[in-house]
Amino acid sequence: MYELSIIIGGPQGSGLETSASILTYSLARSGYGVLSDREYFSNIKGRHSYVHLTISSEKIPTFLTYPVQLVAGLDHETIFTHFESLEDGGVLVYDLYIEEKTLDTTPSMEEDLKKRLNLKFKKFGIDGSVKSLIKYISDVKKIKPIGINYSDVINEVSKKIALPASQAARYTSSIVIGAVAGLLNINKSNIEYSLIRRFGDRRELIQHNKIIIDLVYDKVVEEHGPLMKLERSKLDHRELMIASGNDVIAMAKIVGGLRYQSYYPITPAADESFMIESYEKLEVDGKDAGSVVVIQTEDEIAAIASTIGAALTGARASTSTSGPGFSLMVEGLGWAGMNEVPIVITYYQRGGPSTGLPTRGSQSDLLFTLYASHGEFPRIVLASGDHTEAFYDAIEAFNLAERYQTPVIHLLDKFLANSIKTLVPPDLSSIVIDRGDLLSNVSGEYRRFDISKTISPRAVLGANTIMWYTGDEHDEFGHIDEDPENREQMYRKRMEKLRIADEEIPEEKRMYYYGVGDEDVLLVGWGFVKGVAIETVNTLYTKGIRAGYLHIKMFSPFPSKSVKNLLNRFEEKKIIAVEHNYLAQSSIAVRSSVGVEIKKSIVKYTGRPIYKNELVEAVLRVLEGEDRVVLRYGP
Amino acid sequence: MVRKPVEYQSDVWVDWCPGCGDFGILASMYRAFSELDLSPEKTVVVSGIGCSGKTPHFIKTNGVHTLHGRAIPFAMGIKLANPELTVIINGGDGDLLGIGIGHFIALGRRNIDLTIILHNNTVYGLTKGQASPTLKRGLKPKSLPKPNIQDAVNPIALALSSGYTFIARGYSMMVDHLKELIKKAIQHKGAAFIEVLQPCITYDNIHTVEYYKKRVYKMEDSDWNPIVEKIDEREDKMLKALAKSMEYDEKIPIGVFYQDKCAVSFEERIHERIPTYLENPPAKQKIEQDGRPIIDNITFKKIFNQYIVEVE
Amino acid sequence: MRNLDLEKPINCCECSHYSIHPSYPYLVICLMKDQLISQPREGCEDYVEKNWKKLVEVLSEKGFLYCVECNKPIYTIEELTKHKKEFIPIEFFHDDVASEEALAAD
Ligand SMILES: Cc1ncc(C[n+]2csc(CCOP(=O)(O)OP(=O)(O)O)c2C)c(N)n1
Ligand SMILES: [Mg+2]
Ligand SMILES: [Zn+2]
């Protein structure tokens, strides 16, 4: 096989994360490209979570899709939840012990799903036990079940390593690693490598896990052979980086010169700050390479306020949050706009409104970020489509903030934040650090808001001068001033910065077009849609449908000319917005910026990502005449 | 040559009501700044919103007039990014103890080297005299349609229980006394809080100059030693200060309630984790070399090696 | 310097019973008589010469005075000397209805 989709699932907190990580490292070590999405409940322990991976021997995958070829579960809820996602002829790895379980003995499952499943089981004519279901799917879908008695494995190993079974039980999730690795025929030494990478000098953990993995690996291969053997990888990277969206942003901010980060814990943003904190002291070969102060504040209001404070002293400063947090930051955002303070807000969207779907993805805050806070002021809103883009954008966000002396909102989403990807390590040789008109020394009387320049030279608190700031309208010195003429000038000075940014930032950096030029169908998207949209247009192309993808990256200032030119090349009924929200928010932004109405849309707001299979099908439906397709796939 | 108090006066016309206690606070700050000879470039006065919030505009040092209730976190960012700066916060009672009370408590927990000057006028001055969190229940200054139905917070007790390591009360009409408190607070290494009784001439007809004249007395006139020199004195001195903070009706004590000289400041705590922090804090670090990041491809892989896999 | 409509009541102005209304600083009040003063009174029986020493004392205690004619605070003796001829109240009195006329801000 060249490409493979698999799901591994189990109760939250049962070792799934570690297993997925070890598998990913093993696959990367073997040279495969991996993209894995994490789907989990807003819960600490016990509810069902799963990792959905795309693995490729030909490229670094950019999308997720269904059906999958393999489902490996720690528990019965995984089987109930995902059996329908299996391709006909696919493989199911499960624990023999749970064969008698039914929906009634699955209390962690939500009632809605139980109801739907009960109806199905009735239709299938089965009694609803795992056993009856497995028999049914083996008969009807030709699924190959691989039952392993997990308890037997643990007991066996517990004897072997002389560890009480109760303690050995915590290695249960490694059974899944062993089974999957055996089926995929991953080199055993690469698994060991991953265990070492994961557990470092905790020798015991490495050894115990290895014993279990090897045991299951051999058993599975012996009984079934490497059923889903992956072809040797054709990727020729000597190194691969494995990182989540949160990780990538953290690394980029550090490279970009972040020196102060504040945050209040929120999913799916907090991991970024955690990671930065673990790198607060930067050292290379024992030499100091700088440091970052990371502060967990009492709330998001304090987070943005202290970020602004730090930025006023000249430190590159940022805060990272999600919807509920940004809602609290809005007043501070306006202050930064009014006072021309370069700050970066890293904004990971999740399902709203309110607490919404805290651990699920969404792209429903675009319009909010474009208009948040009262009054008018320039802001830059930048949205990244994938891990690599996010890395470079996170650095550029600081450059833009300092160059235009205004807040930058870097929009991301939970899909990106929590999906782990193999990546080509970034190339830093072309990265620029642009601090804008930053004064290191001031001579004479200093006017922070010098009106003779639209972007006034910026001295910082602590420099050899003094300055004032106020959220009230102010004069050139930063003192309160309500004079109508001053008001008009200062207002215009601020707003003009956006026009300058629009002139200076090349539009080809603000939007990308994926296509060869002869397309007549256009998908329009942004953010995490990018990967699946590009894959979809490629697939459509092979089906004779010439589709291209317009990826919008900057929403303020909007790349109006390029987007308009591009849209004008397509027939109105063949332009389709693709987004993870209800309103197709980017089409609202497009309409307000370029006056073109995008009438067709494919949207998804279940909190799960758009999968390639459903997007391909939805585009076909739109081309057949439907105006709007709502996607729902994914448990 | 030390700077004179007048050298700290800005050119901005002070638009407080004539006779307002805020003038006394401002005068004390000028004097304290002068006696400490604070460098205007290295001093930042941060404020919230309200009559008190305008203070920075009247002072010729750096001034940051922020959002209602948020002066503390703005100041925190400034101070932590550049600990070399002297950062002083001016806020109203509504500002610091109403909308911003969460930040007030959080600062005590952190013990950052900041000075807070609370303008306690028992009302929301700039929004027309509504009851502030320091107005006692049952009182009805002229500006209120009905007597206040909410209980008052005790700023000194709150500061004590939040962890402030310098806590004092001054009176805006006793300039030299207040000046001394401000000097001590600024010199204290850690979170310092001064509650200043500030008569509001327009809205508060209860807490007038007359009112305070009758009640205010200086703790230091009797034998009162609020300073913790050794850790084992902490509990005793804090309890005494707490008891003292309850005295507020017939007689109102002013002076230092509590000072803990043994506490470790937040900056020192960061310094313990990041040894280069104090000499090379965020604001002073070089982050680029000829427009390029200081981290290059090789250092990147060294720093983030945990995330990089060599393909077999 | 603000031009008061009234001709300056030179001696009243130097009388320590003088005050100016906080909300209407163009109204001059004799605290002793509890009367508004529109004309300077020659040879007033209540006249007590404004005590320069008292002003200095108040200034050193409170740290500030306020020159109602210039609408400016005074923080130092040097500044006070510059306003010597102008009206500087020793004390501002509280006006119970002042708040009704005040506007809200911020
Ligand atoms: C978020 C927000 N809410 C309300 C206001 C309106 N507001 C301005 S000043 C003020 C109260 C000021 O009272 P205080 O903090 O006691 O300061 P004072 O004027 O008495 O010095 C309020 C509520 C505001 N500016 N911002
Ligand atoms: Mg107040
Ligand atoms: Zn005068």
Side-chain angles (χ1 to χ4, degrees):
Chain A
M1 289 192 204
Y2 297 100
E3 195 176 279
L4 195 59
S5 287
I6 69 179
I7 279 180
I8 57 176
Q12 272 165 224
S14 62
L16 206 61
E17 275 303 312
T18 311
S19 304
S21 146
I22 289 164
L23 273 175
T24 307
Y25 270 84
S26 309
L27 288 161
R29 176 73 167 168
S30 312
Y32 298 109
V34 183
L35 173 68
S36 63
D37 171 45
R38 271 128 182 87
E39 289 299 329
Y40 54 102
F41 278 87
S42 182
N43 153 266
I44 293 176
K45 257 187 171 159
R47 280 194 183 273
H48 175 66
S49 69
Y50 65 95
V51 182
H52 180 189
L53 303 97
T54 307
I55 304 162
S56 169
S57 64
E58 296 186 311
K59 61 182 178 195
I60 293 176
T62 62
F63 65 98
L64 300 153
T65 194
Y66 281 106
V68 299
Q69 288 76 45
L70 169 64
V71 170
L74 283 167
D75 64 350
H76 41 293
E77 188 166 351
T78 304
I79 299 168
F80 289 136
T81 310
H82 300 284
F83 74 92
E84 288 181 292
S85 302
L86 265 172
E87 189 173 86
D88 284 5
V91 176
L92 175 69
V93 174
Y94 71 105
D95 183 1
L96 284 170
Y97 170 78
I98 54 144
E99 283 197 314
E100 301 305 326
K101 299 273 186 193
T102 64
L103 292 178
D104 288 342
T105 51
T106 315
S108 50
M109 184 183 279
E110 288 184 323
E111 289 305 316
D112 324 53
L113 178 56
K114 278 188 190 167
K115 234 181 252 164
R116 289 199 297 273
L117 288 175
N118 269 322
L119 285 177
K120 279 184 187 150
F121 293 172
K122 228 175 249 158
K123 239 174 53 198
F124 297 167
I126 61 174
D127 69 12
S129 65
V130 169
K131 198 173 183 175
S132 69
L133 180 60
I134 289 179
K135 176 159 182 347
Y136 176 83
I137 57 176
S138 324
D139 292 348
V140 177
K141 293 183 63 166
K142 303 286 170 263
I143 300 299
K144 185 163 179 53
I146 299 183
I148 300 171
N149 193 320
Y150 292 7
S151 310
D152 285 355
V153 173
I154 295 297
N155 287 334
E156 193 180 327
V157 172
S158 121
K159 268 195 217 108
K160 219 183 221 166
I161 60 179
L163 192 73
S166 60
Q167 283 193 45
R170 71 178 142 136
Y171 298 118
T172 308
S173 64
S174 290
I175 296 174
V176 170
I177 305 181
V180 173
L183 291 168
L184 268 54
N185 195 229
I186 301 172
N187 196 328
K188 270 192 194 165
S189 65
N190 291 349
I191 301 173
E192 189 177 357
Y193 167 87
S194 307
L195 288 171
I196 295 169
R197 288 295 304 264
R198 170 81 197 190
F199 297 115
D201 49 13
R202 290 140 88 191
R203 299 280 335 151
E204 205 173 63
L205 285 180
I206 297 170
Q207 195 198 350
H208 295 173
N209 275 298
K210 185 170 157 42
I211 291 170
I212 298 198
I213 292 169
D214 284 354
L215 188 112
V216 178
Y217 189 108
D218 294 341
K219 203 179 170 103
V220 166
V221 172
E222 190 183 309
E223 286 172 22
H224 308 278
L227 268 185
M228 338 193 68
K229 186 170 168 359
L230 277 170
E231 295 301 321
R232 260 193 93 78
S233 175
K234 289 188 201 137
L235 278 81
D236 60 352
H237 304 296
R238 289 178 41 227
E239 284 171 328
L240 284 173
M241 188 163 99
I242 299 174
S244 70
N246 289 138
D247 298 335
V248 161
I249 297 288
M251 294 174 194
K253 283 186 171 181
I254 290 170
V255 171
L258 172 79
R259 289 298 174 263
Y260 183 91
Q261 165 115 345
S262 61
Y263 77 106
Y264 184 76
I266 192 165
T267 304
D271 284 352
E272 176 205 310
S273 299
F274 250 50
M275 173 164 165
I276 297 173
E277 188 169 352
S278 67
Y279 285 93
E280 63 180 4
K281 204 168 70 179
L282 297 170
E283 263 175 1
V284 178
D285 300 332
K287 277 213 307 266
D288 172 42
S291 61
V292 190
V293 170
V294 180
I295 302 290
Q296 180 187 331
T297 53
E298 55 275 24
D299 55 32
E300 285 88 348
I301 297 172
I304 191 165
S306 72
T307 294
I308 295 171
L312 292 177
T313 71
R316 280 199 161 180
S318 163
T319 179
S320 177
T321 191
S322 182
F326 186 71
S327 291
L328 289 185
M329 290 183 181
V330 163
E331 196 192 10
L333 175 70
W335 197 95
M338 182 57 138
N339 285 285
E340 313 197 24
V341 190
I343 57 163
V344 173
I345 302 169
T346 311
Y347 187 153
Y348 298 91
Q349 299 162 91
R350 65 186 217 188
S354 190
T355 324
L357 294 176
T359 61
R360 312 283 179 181
S362 162
Q363 294 184 287
S364 47
D365 300 343
L366 172 62
L367 297 177
F368 181 36
T369 54
L370 283 171
Y371 299 106
S373 208
H374 55 286
E376 299 164 298
F377 57 90
R379 74 189 76 199
I380 290 172
V381 177
L382 181 65
S384 306
D386 56 39
H387 294 66
T388 304
E389 234 185 71
F391 181 88
Y392 296 105
D393 290 349
I395 298 171
E396 190 57 15
F398 286 108
N399 291 341
L400 294 170
E402 290 200 290
R403 191 171 172 86
Y404 302 107
Q405 299 183 11
T406 206
V408 174
I409 299 164
H410 187 192
L411 258 188
L412 302 153
D413 48 51
K414 177 265 164 183
F415 303 124
L416 183 96
N418 289 167
S419 62
I420 294 179
K421 196 175 179 182
T422 51
L423 299 157
V424 179
D427 180 12
L428 309 189
S429 59
S430 56
I431 287 176
V432 169
I433 302 288
D434 175 2
R435 305 219 58 187
D437 197 350
L438 182 64
L439 297 175
S440 51
N441 204 43
V442 177
S443 51
E445 190 180 53
Y446 178 63
R447 293 160 195 246
R448 172 64 189 91
F449 303 102
D450 180 353
I451 198 83
S452 70
K453 302 194 179 70
T454 303
I455 300 171
S456 317
R458 184 168 71 103
V460 300
L461 294 178
N464 64 331
T465 185
I466 61 168
M467 66 202 78
W468 289 271
Y469 287 98
T470 174
D472 287 45
E473 187 56 272
H474 41 257
D475 62 14
E476 292 182 285
F477 292 97
H479 287 309
I480 301 171
D481 188 340
E482 301 190 14
D483 177 73
E485 283 184 20
N486 173 72
R487 168 68 166 171
E488 193 278 327
Q489 285 180 15
M490 280 294 167
Y491 207 126
R492 179 157 41 88
K493 164 193 191 318
R494 287 189 296 271
M495 296 308 282
E496 271 287 292
K497 292 190 296 183
L498 195 60
R499 190 188 54 74
I500 295 175
D502 192 22
E503 267 173 27
E504 289 181 353
I505 310 169
E507 291 207 347
E508 60 272 21
K509 282 186 163 185
R510 292 187 263 162
M511 52 81 79
Y512 302 133
Y513 179 65
Y514 296 89
V516 289
D518 65 347
E519 292 78 15
D520 62 0
V521 175
L522 181 69
L523 305 190
V524 180
W526 59 285
F528 200 69
V529 164
K530 180 183 175 189
V532 69
I534 292 173
E535 187 66 21
T536 297
V537 299
N538 290 341
T539 304
L540 287 169
Y541 222 89
T542 62
K543 292 184 193 244
I545 294 164
R546 286 172 292 138
Y549 171 59
L550 163 61
H551 182 66
I552 304 175
K553 193 159 102 167
M554 197 177 281
F555 284 91
S556 172
F558 194 85
S560 307
K561 283 186 216 89
S562 312
V563 169
K564 190 167 192 162
N565 286 342
L566 187 70
L567 292 175
N568 284 340
R569 273 177 30 205
F570 293 82
E571 261 181 84
E572 196 178 74
K573 63 175 200 280
K574 291 189 174 175
I575 304 176
I576 313 163
V578 183
E579 300 183 47
H580 293 96
N581 58 49
Y582 190 93
L583 293 172
Q585 296 194 3
S586 78
S587 28
I588 297 175
V590 167
R591 188 169 62 207
S592 71
S593 302
V594 304
V596 176
E597 189 166 356
I598 300 179
K599 294 194 164 145
K600 307 277 182 177
S601 62
I602 298 171
V603 295
K604 186 169 186 178
Y605 41 87
T606 60
R608 281 66 173 171
I610 293 174
Y611 304 111
K612 184 186 116 184
N613 59 309
E614 56 178 354
L615 184 55
V616 170
E617 191 205 308
V619 173
L620 296 176
R621 278 167 60 187
V622 170
L623 294 180
E624 277 159 20
E626 285 184 52
D627 285 333
R628 171 178 170 89
V629 178
V630 179
L631 306 179
R632 299 190 177 81
Y633 206 85
Chain B
M1 254 274 296
V2 294
R3 296 168 181 87
K4 294 201 194 80
V6 287
E7 294 178 53
Y8 293 95
Q9 290 179 26
S10 76
D11 301 333
V12 177
W13 180 62
V14 185
D15 64 354
W16 286 323
C17 307
C20 177
D22 281 339
F23 285 103
I25 299 176
L26 187 58
S28 313
M29 290 175 74
Y30 292 146
R31 293 188 185 191
F33 285 16
S34 156
E35 289 182 23
L36 295 175
D37 195 27
L38 296 185
S39 144
E41 294 81 26
K42 301 291 176 200
T43 304
V44 190
V45 179
V46 183
S47 67
I49 296 292
C51 298
S52 45
K54 294 186 176 177
T55 309
H57 295 287
F58 309 140
I59 302 179
K60 215 158 146 190
T61 63
N62 290 295
V64 185
H65 178 198
T66 73
L67 292 167
H68 192 30
R70 317 302 169 200
I72 291 174
F74 273 83
M76 169 172 91
I78 293 167
K79 181 71 182 178
L80 295 184
N82 190 351
E84 166 194 282
L85 302 175
T86 300
V87 183
I88 294 132
I89 296 162
N90 287 78
D93 37 11
D95 194 80
L96 290 168
L97 299 177
I99 192 167
I101 194 164
H103 309 306
F104 181 81
I105 293 166
L107 176 56
R109 291 178 48 219
R110 297 188 183 110
N111 197 32
I112 301 174
D113 188 11
L114 294 170
T115 296
I116 297 187
I117 299 173
L118 167 72
H119 298 226
N120 182 359
N121 56 5
T122 78
V123 289
Y124 281 26
L126 211 44
T127 45
K128 285 188 78 161
Q130 295 86 353
S132 93
T134 55
L135 182 67
K136 291 228 163 127
R137 175 152 57 96
L139 291 187
K140 184 187 167 311
K142 271 282 178 287
S143 55
L144 292 193
K146 294 276 168 117
N148 183 21
I149 195 170
Q150 306 188 54
D151 274 316
V153 64
N154 178 334
I156 300 289
L158 183 66
L160 275 165
S161 54
S162 301
Y164 284 80
T165 49
F166 178 95
I167 298 164
R169 179 186 288 136
Y171 175 41
S172 63
M173 302 308 193
M174 285 171 64
V175 69
D176 279 322
H177 183 261
L178 181 55
K179 171 207 71 185
E180 284 305 317
L181 293 179
I182 294 174
K183 275 168 62 186
K184 284 185 183 142
I186 291 173
Q187 285 170 322
H188 175 74
K189 287 266 157 279
F193 169 64
I194 307 170
E195 175 197 356
V196 185
L197 307 169
Q198 174 234 326
C200 166
I201 191 135
T202 302
Y203 294 112
D204 188 352
N205 56 330
I206 299 171
H207 307 93
T208 58
V209 174
E210 279 301 297
Y211 177 94
Y212 286 125
K213 198 181 261 169
K214 279 193 216 128
R215 291 171 172 78
V216 160
Y217 76 95
K218 295 178 187 163
M219 286 183 276
E220 56 270 31
D221 287 348
S222 59
D223 101 58
W224 173 253
N225 177 3
I227 298 172
V228 175
E229 306 272 7
K230 292 197 298 272
I231 290 176
D232 59 11
E233 295 169 356
R234 248 183 212 154
E235 190 178 327
D236 178 49
K237 300 231 157 155
M238 190 178 281
L239 286 172
K240 284 192 177 127
L242 200 56
K244 201 79 177 158
S245 78
M246 303 294 158
E247 198 182 311
Y248 200 72
D249 288 320
E250 290 311 304
K251 285 283 165 210
I252 304 175
I254 59 172
V256 179
F257 280 78
Y258 181 76
Q259 181 174 18
D260 183 349
K261 290 193 165 170
C262 312
V264 180
S265 74
F266 197 72
E267 295 87 319
E268 289 163 334
R269 290 179 228 165
I270 298 177
H271 187 70
E272 274 168 31
R273 277 169 43 168
I274 306 173
T276 54
Y277 171 67
L278 289 175
E279 86 207 40
N280 201 17
K284 293 189 175 172
Q285 286 182 41
K286 201 169 157 53
I287 59 161
E288 48 93 33
Q289 181 80 47
D290 307 324
R292 301 273 173 210
I294 51 169
I295 296 175
D296 61 12
N297 283 333
I298 296 166
T299 32
F300 179 86
K301 284 176 193 164
K302 282 186 177 159
I303 293 174
F304 299 111
N305 67 339
Q306 196 190 324
Y307 294 84
I308 292 167
V309 168
E310 279 163 25
V311 177
E312 241 241 305
Chain C
M1 231 167 261
R2 202 157 45 81
N3 208 352
L4 292 180
D5 271 349
L6 344 154
E7 198 193 316
K8 248 191 242 166
I10 301 298
N11 49 353
C12 277
C13 198
E14 285 171 5
C15 172
S16 58
H17 298 316
Y18 256 69
S19 183
I20 285 197
H21 195 286
S23 310
Y24 313 101
Y26 39 86
L27 295 183
V28 183
I29 303 155
C30 173
L31 293 175
M32 193 63 190
K33 295 187 166 34
D34 193 21
Q35 268 180 7
L36 289 188
I37 304 298
S38 54
Q39 291 281 312
R41 297 178 179 217
E42 301 271 340
C44 172
E45 65 283 8
D46 293 324
Y47 179 81
V48 176
E49 196 187 339
K50 185 159 65 182
N51 193 335
W52 179 253
K53 252 166 74 193
K54 176 78 185 160
L55 275 181
V56 173
E57 211 179 285
V58 171
L59 178 61
S60 76
E61 184 191 328
K62 287 192 189 167
F64 72 96
L65 287 167
Y66 199 87
C67 172
V68 189
E69 291 183 44
C70 304
N71 249 343
K72 268 190 169 160
I74 293 164
Y75 301 106
T76 60
I77 306 261
E78 296 85 81
E79 285 173 309
L80 179 60
T81 331
K82 287 188 206 147
H83 298 265
K84 196 166 184 176
K85 283 269 156 66
E86 289 138 18
F87 180 71
I88 299 165
I90 301 252
E91 197 112 327
F92 278 90
F93 63 87
H94 190 92
D95 176 13
D96 280 357
V97 295
S99 60
E100 291 170 27
E101 185 60 29
L103 295 172
D106 271 29

